[in-house]
Amino acid sequence: MAEPPMPESDPETGSDDEQRPRTGFGPVVLAGLASAGLAAVAGTRAWVEGTSGQLSTETAGDAAVVGSAVAEGLGEMPLAGALSLVVLAGWGVVLVTRGRFRRVVMGVAALAAVGLVVTTVWALFTLQDSVADQLMAASGADTADVHLTGWYAAACVAALGCVVTTLLAVRLVPAWPEMGRRYDAPAGEAAPVEPQGNLEIWKALDEGHDPTDR
């Protein structure tokens, strides 16, 4: 029995390899946006909570607490929020630009993601002691009970996700589709020649040109 003929690729649509989705574009971008978004939210939440005497991290910034010298945002890490916004902005720029500039942008985003990981590790060893010291100084007590919150765990997961996705983007972005090319003017398009005479004027109108627009 004769084997059925193999389907030929359509020259207008290209081969099967050319029709495959660009390597990792959708999954990497979605994962990167999700990681950066989670990191941005976690960066605005308290990573450490605790109490000291009658004072807690939730009431330390309240003006009604007499003698409280604790600044607002106790237990938070603003640097993490700022770095996550840099990563998030990098993904936004990649979606609307093209060429080598996209790789440079993702390189900057990858550096910010690494900085985000360093910030979360640094917070693990320093933030709890800092919060405890401020609580004890404000309450006058000798001890403080502090602990990490779930937002710190979320920040750690998001930071690792940001590093992985941005590094993948640096490697894969040259193969990703570029946005906005359909709106570019065709390269080398010659300017329309101004019509001379009635016949040429009517011909220009028929081709869609306005002979009065000079």
Side-chain angles (χ1 to χ4, degrees):
M1 180 181 294
E3 296 182 357
M6 297 298 294
E8 297 181 358
S9 60
D10 189 343
E12 295 182 359
T13 59
S15 63
D16 293 337
D17 292 338
E18 294 175 349
Q19 295 181 30
R20 292 176 182 174
R22 300 287 183 171
T23 305
F25 174 71
V28 173
V29 171
L30 289 177
L33 288 172
S35 298
L38 177 59
V41 174
T44 62
R45 301 295 193 272
W47 291 2
V48 173
E49 292 180 349
T51 59
S52 178
Q54 300 298 320
L55 194 64
S56 69
T57 52
E58 297 180 355
T59 61
D62 192 345
V65 178
V66 179
S68 175
V70 181
E72 293 184 3
L74 181 64
E76 298 179 5
M77 186 64 71
L79 179 59
L83 291 172
S84 62
L85 290 178
V86 173
V87 179
L88 191 61
W91 288 111
V93 172
V94 163
L95 292 177
V96 298
T97 56
R98 53 179 184 260
R100 294 183 179 179
F101 180 70
R102 298 199 303 175
R103 200 165 197 173
V104 173
V105 170
M106 291 316 301
V108 174
L111 291 176
V114 172
L116 186 58
V117 171
V118 173
T119 301
T120 56
V121 174
W122 178 38
L124 178 63
F125 295 100
T126 62
L127 191 56
Q128 294 183 86
D129 292 338
S130 175
V131 171
D133 291 341
Q134 293 184 64
L135 285 175
M136 289 187 293
S139 65
D142 296 331
T143 60
D145 181 19
V146 296
H147 62 274
L148 295 171
T149 68
W151 285 112
Y152 175 76
C156 291
V157 173
L160 291 176
C162 287
V163 170
V164 172
T165 53
T166 51
L167 290 179
L168 283 174
V170 171
R171 178 183 178 184
L172 301 175
V173 71
W176 287 355
E178 297 178 346
M179 301 297 182
R181 187 174 295 277
R182 68 176 63 182
Y183 301 106
D184 291 349
E189 182 179 359
V193 180
E194 295 185 4
Q196 302 293 333
N198 293 335
L199 181 59
E200 293 185 2
I201 290 176
W202 284 108
K203 185 177 180 181
L205 288 173
D206 185 60
E207 293 176 352
H209 301 298
D210 185 1
T212 63
D213 185 12
R214 298 183 180 180

